[in-house]
Amino acid sequence: MSEYSADVVVIGGGVVGCAVAFELAQRGCTNVIVVERGTLACGSTGRCGAGVRQQFGTELNCVLARESVRIFEKMDEYLDYEPGVEFRQSGYLILAFSDKQWDQFKKNVALQRSLGIDVKMLTVDEALEIVPFLNTEGMVGATFCNTDGFANPFHTTFAYGQAAKRLGVRIMTHTTVTGIEVENDRIKAVVTDKGKIATDTVVNCAGAYSGDIAKMAGIDLPVWGERHQILVTEPVEPLMGPMVISFHHDFYFQQSVHGSFLGGIGLPEPKGYNIMSTVEFLERMAATLKQLLPPLTQLRVVRQWAGLYDRSPDAQPILGECPPVEKFYNANGFSGHGFMVAPIVGVLLAELITTGKTSIDISKLDMGRFARGELVFEPSVVG
Amino acid sequence: MPENPRPDDNTIICRCEDITLGEIRALIAQGYTTIDEIKRVSRAGMGQCQGRTCRQLIAREIAQALGITVEQVELPQFRPPTRPIVLSTIVEGEGNE
Ligand SMILES: Cc1cc2nc3c(=O)[nH]c(=O)nc-3n(C[C@H](O)[C@H](O)[C@H](O)COP(=O)(O)OP(=O)(O)OC[C@H]3O[C@@H](n4cnc5c(N)ncnc54)[C@H](O)[C@@H]3O)c2cc1C
């Protein structure tokens, strides 16, 4: 006996799950239940840097980010969300520290420009005009896109969640998925600690836990958690316009709307669900800031925390169905850039589920690519 | 226990982010019923003091609205550092690298 029934069950109430649920409802598929173990945005979404950039190295990532930016630009009206999602296009300045990196950036920018993304290659002096206190020692140049930016991850998720609810979607928070019943490769029900939901369609938006969810349906999904740490400083007057990234230092730093700076740096991490903060991270951040943005070491850190990247083997999302199980859809594996593409991922998954087709070809991002050996490596990943 | 007079909606609850009791009550009425959710939607507790003043006050409001005890309200995580710390002092503490 099932306590509930739904046409689609979305597992995970992060930005991706909420966007998928809303876009389904937009397309008339309103008998949808979102199941979230904690509260909306309590997972990676609420812990992320919330940067939105279009400067990628693969065509598909560029297109997904570009289309998401178009949605972010009109999101407050699109989702009728009065507090606003605080999308600001203050740009991303990406620094190059070797000739090899600069050559890769040239290729990336040629690709980005061919896709209609306005990215400029800057000399060191031009970069200094944008961030005057940058320490340019060893720097070769930079790329800049002024339509990149960031949004508030909580408001973005709540905006999608509330808009979905208004269209009839049911959001069950404090509810944990514990099993998925599958018979002859068909989904029968999603089992939760609050009762069973009869359904034949599941969208796996459980972030770093997506591998665990897939396993419940007998699917071996190569997605795992990887800790990434981040810190926030006291708020100060506006000092720095764009997000500053260095892939060489695996580092990003950005000033938020509220005046505080947010940033992170990559450290070697084992697979797992550990989200404790470390002193080592603070030290690495402080030392790297001293090297790249020296005056900012005068800021006070008020808080540090950590979250999980939902990693996949090629640092690319896994989108779509995964045979032989029917109607088990994945939207996970975002590997550190899931917030920025969530708006378009919501659209594409909803299109796929309701019509079987998508307006952007995402067939390369299916799970089958790992078995086929057709991995799509993205050269530009940070943090 | 004597009944406390119910504080006014205009009372500032989070001094760092300038948030009133009225705003907190409105959010609870909209369904944000944990301290973390209220923090995420309003920034109450995200400021300089990291919620040292407002956390208890918000917990009390939630408890009152839900008819539960303050102890039953879901508490947020405490996170380092315990006091704001200047980044340059961390670099200096690193030794002679
Ligand atoms: C430090 C850090 C910085 C980042 N910076 C950026 C950035 O600048 N830009 C960017 O685009 N991305 C960034 N990311 C990545 C981004 O956070 C994620 O890609 C994105 O939030 C993924 O969203 P999601 O909805 O898929 O996952 P999540 O937000 O993790 O949502 C998954 C949800 O599933 C729930 N769940 C899990 N298991 C179960 C279960 N069994 N039952 C019910 N519910 C369950 C969880 O509670 C969670 O809420 C960053 C990540 C981190 C950690």
Side-chain angles (χ1 to χ4, degrees):
Chain A
M1 269 300 290
S2 295
E3 282 82 351
Y4 309 94
S5 80
D7 293 338
V8 181
V9 173
V10 175
I11 302 176
V15 66
V16 174
C18 289
V20 169
F22 167 76
E23 294 294 348
L24 281 168
Q26 272 286 84
R27 286 162 182 75
C29 178
T30 56
N31 185 10
V32 174
I33 298 182
V34 178
V35 186
E36 166 54 52
R37 174 164 68 186
T39 54
L40 296 188
C42 73
S44 303
T45 300
R47 299 163 182 279
C48 81
V52 177
R53 77 171 141 114
Q54 302 155 91
Q55 301 183 62
F56 280 97
T58 66
E59 176 170 345
L60 198 48
N61 277 341
C62 289
V63 170
L64 294 178
R66 182 193 69 197
E67 293 308 306
S68 283
V69 164
R70 289 184 180 156
I71 300 173
F72 272 117
E73 282 169 343
K74 299 201 174 71
M75 191 169 280
D76 296 346
E77 301 91 77
Y78 182 53
L79 300 176
D80 192 12
Y81 187 69
E82 199 261 325
V85 301
E86 298 174 358
F87 184 52
R88 295 288 183 286
Q89 290 172 291
S90 39
Y92 261 58
L93 184 70
I94 306 187
L95 315 178
F97 280 92
S98 70
D99 293 331
K100 187 166 167 247
Q101 204 173 33
W102 193 234
D103 286 342
Q104 177 67 46
F105 282 13
K106 282 180 192 157
K107 286 185 207 147
N108 293 356
V109 171
L111 172 72
Q112 291 151 6
R113 296 189 65 90
S114 77
L115 297 167
I117 303 167
D118 185 13
V119 185
K120 293 189 170 61
M121 309 221 39
L122 305 184
T123 62
V124 171
D125 284 344
E126 286 168 331
L128 275 174
E129 281 170 28
I130 298 177
V131 181
F133 48 86
L134 204 59
N135 176 11
T136 57
E137 201 186 318
M139 204 175 121
V140 183
T143 64
F144 183 66
C145 174
N146 67 3
T147 54
D148 288 348
F150 56 90
N152 180 314
F154 307 114
H155 282 307
T156 304
T157 309
F158 298 154
Y160 273 113
Q162 287 176 15
K165 261 195 206 166
R166 285 196 300 270
L167 294 174
V169 170
R170 176 176 192 145
I171 298 182
M172 295 172 66
T173 54
H174 296 106
T175 306
T176 303
V177 172
T178 55
I180 298 173
E181 292 180 2
V182 181
E183 265 174 45
N184 303 324
D185 296 331
R186 292 213 170 91
I187 297 167
K188 293 290 172 204
V190 170
V191 186
T192 79
D193 60 351
K194 302 274 169 68
K196 204 187 265 192
I197 310 168
T199 189
D200 66 356
T201 307
V202 162
V203 194
N204 182 6
C205 307
Y209 297 86
S210 297
D212 295 351
I213 296 294
K215 204 172 287 160
M216 295 176 190
I219 298 162
D220 188 14
L221 179 75
V223 170
W224 65 92
E226 183 183 87
R227 174 175 66 180
H228 284 260
Q229 303 190 57
I230 182 164
L231 62 75
V232 61
T233 72
E234 63 191 333
V236 288
E237 70 279 12
L239 290 173
M240 192 169 87
M243 165 86 96
V244 172
I245 287 195
S246 166
F247 296 120
H248 176 77
H249 301 86
D250 210 2
F251 164 90
Y252 64 93
F253 215 57
Q254 159 205 58
Q255 188 168 23
S256 76
V257 191
H258 304 278
S260 48
F261 279 81
L262 277 161
I265 191 161
L267 293 171
E269 287 287 345
K271 293 183 181 184
Y273 298 135
N274 175 12
I275 50 167
M276 299 297 287
S277 302
T278 67
V279 176
E280 189 196 356
F281 167 76
L282 264 188
E283 291 174 348
R284 280 289 300 276
M285 277 301 285
T288 309
L289 269 175
K290 190 178 170 195
Q291 211 182 330
L292 292 179
L293 300 159
L296 300 186
T297 54
Q298 294 315 309
L299 296 169
R300 283 170 211 276
V301 181
V302 295
R303 189 176 173 92
Q304 67 175 116
W305 68 93
L308 299 171
Y309 277 17
D310 49 334
R311 281 293 321 273
S312 76
D314 56 2
Q316 291 300 312
I318 302 176
L319 302 178
E321 258 185 304
C322 48
V325 181
E326 282 174 35
K327 299 191 179 181
F328 184 96
Y329 295 90
N330 285 301
N332 48 53
F334 294 101
S335 306
H337 48 271
F339 175 72
M340 61 182 84
V341 294
I344 191 66
V345 165
V347 169
L348 296 170
L349 264 287
E351 286 174 353
L352 189 64
I353 293 165
T354 56
T355 69
K357 292 191 291 279
T358 54
S359 51
I360 299 170
D361 181 8
I362 49 168
S363 55
K364 276 188 192 156
L365 294 179
D366 72 335
M367 196 179 98
R369 72 178 184 268
F370 304 112
R372 296 193 303 270
E374 292 169 2
L375 278 60
V376 260
F377 280 102
E378 167 59 59
S380 310
V381 181
V382 72
Chain B
M1 220 170 58
E3 193 61 33
N4 276 337
R6 195 166 146 84
D8 181 53
D9 271 358
N10 295 322
T11 313
I12 302 280
I13 286 285
C14 168
R15 276 178 287 180
C16 304
E17 299 286 336
D18 216 11
I19 293 161
T20 64
L21 186 53
E23 289 171 73
I24 301 288
R25 285 177 177 155
L27 291 173
I28 296 172
Q30 280 173 44
Y32 297 101
T33 52
T34 61
I35 298 177
D36 264 338
E37 285 174 290
I38 288 174
K39 178 180 86 178
R40 290 170 188 153
V41 72
S42 71
R43 298 189 55 80
M46 276 194 190
Q48 196 83 345
C49 88
Q50 289 291 300
R52 270 169 200 82
T53 333
C54 62
R55 194 186 290 123
Q56 279 308 317
L57 302 172
I58 296 173
R60 199 182 62 194
E61 280 304 311
I62 295 173
Q64 228 162 46
L66 301 185
I68 57 178
T69 65
V70 172
E71 291 70 39
Q72 287 169 314
V73 175
E74 221 174 278
L75 275 182
Q77 279 269 317
F78 283 90
R79 296 197 191 276
T82 28
R83 289 248 160 70
I85 170 170
V86 179
L87 279 154
S88 61
T89 61
I90 305 170
V91 187
E92 280 145 24
E94 201 183 52
N96 40 355
E97 226 188 342

